[in-house]
Amino acid sequence: MTRPIGILHFAAIGLLLACAAAIYAPGLSGAFLLDDWPTLKGLNHLASSGLLGDAVQFARESRRVVTHFTFALQRDAWPTAPEQFKVVGVAIHLLSGLALYWLLKQLCALAPSVQTAARYLPLTATTVWLLHPLHVSTVLYVAQRSTALAALFTLAGLGAYLTGRLSCLQGDHRQGYAWMSVGVGLGLLLATFSKENGILLPLFVLVIEGTLLVNITRPPKWNAWASIFLLSPLLALAGYLAYNHQQIIGAYILRDFTLAERLLTETRIIADYLGKALIPKPQGFGLFFDDFGKSTDFFTPVTTLWSTLLVASLLGAGLALRRRIPVLSFAILWFFVGHLLESTYIPLELYFEHRNYVPSVGLFFGLVWGASRLLDYVQTKPLRRFAMAGLASSLVLLALLTFHEARLWGDSLLQAEEWAKRRPDSRRVQANLAGQYASLGFYDYAARTYARMSEKYPRDPTPYLLHAELRCDAPGLPELPLDANIRFRHGERNLGTVAALERLTIYKELNRCSAYKTEFFLMLARTLAENPVYRPDPVNLQLILARLYTVDSQFDAAIDTYELVKKRRKTAELPLTQAELAFKLGDIKAAAAFLKEAESRANAKNFERIEVLRSHLRLKSGG
């Protein structure tokens, strides 16, 4: 039987949420970072807020419909008011804390192994989760609203499921199944359409059932219910991954690591995540970890072997101790289930702290439970008070670490300089520092940072392109020396290279870069396209070339290049652009043919452009 929440608990929860809000408050004044810009740039094309139809349309253009719908509702805050986006991020974090408390409260009411600690375990574990510095890069990084929303709906869905399980245990099966079905069904839907790893919600249910509730009688027809609400989504996930297996494996050609190297490296990363979660250290957190070296075998570096043994041992213990020590089993299996998609074979980038947002719930639950068991062995009052003071001090320390990290996120220049000290070998950190200098008008500092990067990484095209972008804004800066053969034709692959070249293309399209002629950027793009490491994914480079040809009035070359792109990308925009270019060349017949092709692929976004071109063609042809 679950106990009602008393007035002291309400007060404690309110105080906890107020403390968490105050701790994160210094981080609200920070700027947009990294993926924020590409994630939110579509808001440029929306009308002012209040037009619900535009918000729905923006959301439908992404698989993360729920997340993008919330972004669209904040159209007026883009791109001048990042603090408004961050306020929503903190609010979602606080709501997730409430959902977690509800989940853990129901769990402690159901699970025999934790009922002795039911009075303080839910609140304490929620406190650790809400105040832990590991989550700052989820809460204050706007692009990770997807992670936060998926977590909110996952935790709320699990809380509803456990409420239903408790109702069934008390004999009200009708109400119980209603709670369970709505919790898992709606929670799964909202979580998955916030971020893809929301699909793991049924697996979290199975972890709970297979560990903490392993000896609790399940209601009649539970297996039939589970086959619909738990197994069906998981089978759909397995089918999706199997169907797209070749495409997933093929995407490794775009990475600088193989599948085997990724799996080996992730064992070291998991060990690092565990260290950060259980023993957080000052200055150990951040956003950029591109300098985390990959593992090429079990002994390179040798920590790969120890990390692999650690991961294997933990998984083995989690499976073996399901009945003997169910809380420990729950903590371990929950953590690894949470990492199942993002830290295994899908070729994502290797390291991000936000991947621990939901997985850490199990760790902190197990950690607080373990501390409570240790306190049970402390009999003398002075020693018990000392132990309690130590635990309270640990919570205060967590809060202070999080407050310090939030302050960094609130001062973009201080953050960039601090991260540059922490991770001097991270190219993203150094580029972020230079970008912050440039945004404040400190062009000389930015230029020197790019120059150091260019000298340190002579085969990386990105520092040169970033410096060129800087010179578009400050033409008086001296140009960096360039050996295009080494840096571009035979240079190393960097994910930021094509993005930087695209930004330079936009500068030329807007006639905002007098420091370079268009022919120069065309030469760089063509040289880069000859580089074998950039050939596996030629579409973006070909699009850049086509746009640069257009700026340079080489319309025939632009049309031919768009033709190459059409073989890989079946959209209406490409033949429509070709039709517009052919019209500029005066080739009415070709323009009409391209227009007909565009009409066959068109959607609502293209209708206006199509109609304008159609009317121009009628006028030109006299019809």
Side-chain angles (χ1 to χ4, degrees), residues 559-579:
I559 291 172
D560 292 342
T561 307
Y562 278 123
E563 195 65 31
L564 295 174
V565 179
K566 282 197 307 187
K567 295 176 181 178
R568 292 173 174 262
R569 190 170 291 181
K570 308 295 184 182
T571 65
E573 283 80 4
L574 297 176
L576 183 53
T577 302
Q578 287 177 299

Side-chain angles (χ1 to χ4, degrees), residues 219-460:
K221 301 181 180 178
W222 184 89
N223 288 339
W225 177 90
S227 67
I228 297 171
F229 286 90
L230 303 182
L231 296 182
S232 294
L234 295 176
L235 288 174
L237 172 63
Y240 175 84
L241 294 176
Y243 180 78
N244 292 282
H245 176 72
Q246 291 301 324
Q247 183 179 350
I248 292 170
I249 297 302
Y252 273 94
I253 200 168
L254 305 177
R255 296 296 184 185
D256 61 353
F257 49 80
T258 64
L259 171 59
E261 289 171 341
R262 175 178 171 77
L263 293 174
L264 288 171
T265 307
E266 286 298 333
T267 63
R268 290 168 45 232
I269 292 173
I270 289 292
D272 203 54
Y273 289 158
L274 288 168
K276 286 185 173 184
L278 301 178
I279 312 174
K281 298 178 182 178
Q283 302 183 343
F285 303 94
L287 180 60
F288 303 105
F289 294 92
D290 51 297
D291 57 337
F292 194 95
K294 66 182 179 183
S295 298
T296 55
D297 55 50
F298 284 111
F299 302 99
T300 312
V302 71
T303 49
T304 308
L305 176 61
W306 309 124
S307 299
T308 303
L309 292 174
L310 172 66
V311 168
S313 299
L314 287 174
L315 280 171
L319 293 170
L321 299 175
R322 289 190 312 114
R323 294 183 181 275
R324 293 176 55 194
I325 315 178
V327 180
L328 181 60
S329 177
F330 165 78
I332 294 171
L333 295 180
W334 177 291
F335 178 76
F336 281 106
V337 162
H339 280 288
L340 193 60
L341 286 183
E342 293 182 299
S343 300
T344 53
Y345 92 111
I346 296 176
L348 303 171
E349 292 191 47
L350 293 171
Y351 194 123
F352 277 114
E353 289 176 353
H354 65 253
R355 293 173 183 168
N356 295 279
Y357 197 58
V358 173
S360 64
V361 166
L363 293 181
F364 298 150
F365 185 84
L367 183 67
V368 172
W369 174 82
S372 72
R373 290 298 302 270
L374 288 175
L375 281 175
D376 290 341
Y377 290 102
V378 178
Q379 300 298 326
T380 61
K381 284 188 177 181
L383 191 57
R384 190 175 182 85
R385 287 173 182 168
F386 179 77
M388 291 294 289
L391 292 175
S393 299
S394 298
L395 293 178
V396 172
L397 180 60
L398 281 181
L400 290 174
L401 287 174
T402 302
F403 180 75
H404 174 69
E405 289 298 316
R407 282 181 64 245
L408 280 182
W409 279 77
D411 186 330
S412 299
L413 181 57
L414 178 65
Q415 179 190 57
E417 291 176 334
E418 176 65 23
W419 283 353
K421 293 176 186 175
R422 294 181 187 179
R423 311 197 76 87
D425 294 326
S426 167
R427 303 185 200 191
R428 282 185 173 173
V429 163
Q430 300 304 320
N432 177 62
L433 175 61
Q436 291 301 326
Y437 283 144
S439 68
L440 296 171
F442 302 149
Y443 295 118
D444 288 339
Y445 288 120
R448 285 199 288 269
T449 304
Y450 288 137
R452 286 196 298 270
M453 291 176 64
S454 184
E455 184 178 352
K456 187 173 183 178
Y457 306 107
R459 296 183 64 249
D460 186 351

Side-chain angles (χ1 to χ4, degrees), residues 403-614:
F403 180 75
H404 174 69
E405 289 298 316
R407 282 181 64 245
L408 280 182
W409 279 77
D411 186 330
S412 299
L413 181 57
L414 178 65
Q415 179 190 57
E417 291 176 334
E418 176 65 23
W419 283 353
K421 293 176 186 175
R422 294 181 187 179
R423 311 197 76 87
D425 294 326
S426 167
R427 303 185 200 191
R428 282 185 173 173
V429 163
Q430 300 304 320
N432 177 62
L433 175 61
Q436 291 301 326
Y437 283 144
S439 68
L440 296 171
F442 302 149
Y443 295 118
D444 288 339
Y445 288 120
R448 285 199 288 269
T449 304
Y450 288 137
R452 286 196 298 270
M453 291 176 64
S454 184
E455 184 178 352
K456 187 173 183 178
Y457 306 107
R459 296 183 64 249
D460 186 351
T462 308
Y464 183 87
L465 294 173
L466 293 174
H467 186 272
E469 186 179 349
L470 185 67
R471 290 191 72 230
C472 289
D473 292 322
L477 292 171
E479 189 173 359
L480 290 180
L482 172 66
D483 186 332
N485 190 53
I486 292 176
R487 192 174 290 276
F488 283 82
R489 183 172 285 110
H490 300 293
E492 60 190 32
R493 184 177 180 85
N494 186 318
L495 290 176
T497 299
V498 176
L501 193 55
E502 182 180 16
R503 289 194 299 272
L504 288 170
T505 302
I506 295 172
Y507 270 96
K508 296 305 294 185
E509 289 173 332
L510 298 175
N511 197 26
R512 284 181 48 200
C513 189
S514 60
Y516 300 92
K517 293 182 178 180
T518 306
E519 292 91 335
F520 179 70
F521 291 150
L522 273 168
M523 181 275 293
L524 294 182
R526 284 193 294 256
T527 306
L528 194 67
E530 295 172 8
N531 190 327
V533 299
Y534 285 90
R535 285 178 192 160
D537 184 29
V539 171
N540 290 328
L541 262 177
Q542 288 169 344
L543 283 172
I544 288 170
L545 275 167
R547 290 164 63 183
L548 287 171
Y549 282 132
T550 304
V551 172
D552 205 39
S553 299
Q554 299 184 48
F555 299 137
D556 285 323
I559 291 172
D560 292 342
T561 307
Y562 278 123
E563 195 65 31
L564 295 174
V565 179
K566 282 197 307 187
K567 295 176 181 178
R568 292 173 174 262
R569 190 170 291 181
K570 308 295 184 182
T571 65
E573 283 80 4
L574 297 176
L576 183 53
T577 302
Q578 287 177 299
E580 292 166 343
L581 292 172
F583 181 78
K584 288 181 181 180
L585 285 170
D587 190 342
I588 304 303
K589 184 177 180 180
F594 286 132
L595 181 60
K596 186 176 180 180
E597 183 182 356
E599 288 172 339
S600 68
R601 303 178 181 181
N603 56 38
K605 291 193 304 181
N606 313 127
F607 289 158
E608 186 175 347
R609 280 178 69 192
I610 287 174
E611 191 57 41
V612 168
L613 184 57
R614 187 186 289 127

Side-chain angles (χ1 to χ4, degrees), residues 1-3 105-106 109-110 161-172 176 180:
M1 182 75 68
T2 183
R3 299 181 181 181
K105 191 76 176 170
Q106 304 308 308
L110 276 164
Y161 171 80
L162 291 173
T163 299
R165 277 288 266 129
L166 194 59
S167 292
C168 288
L169 199 63
Q170 294 167 352
D172 192 343
M180 290 160 58

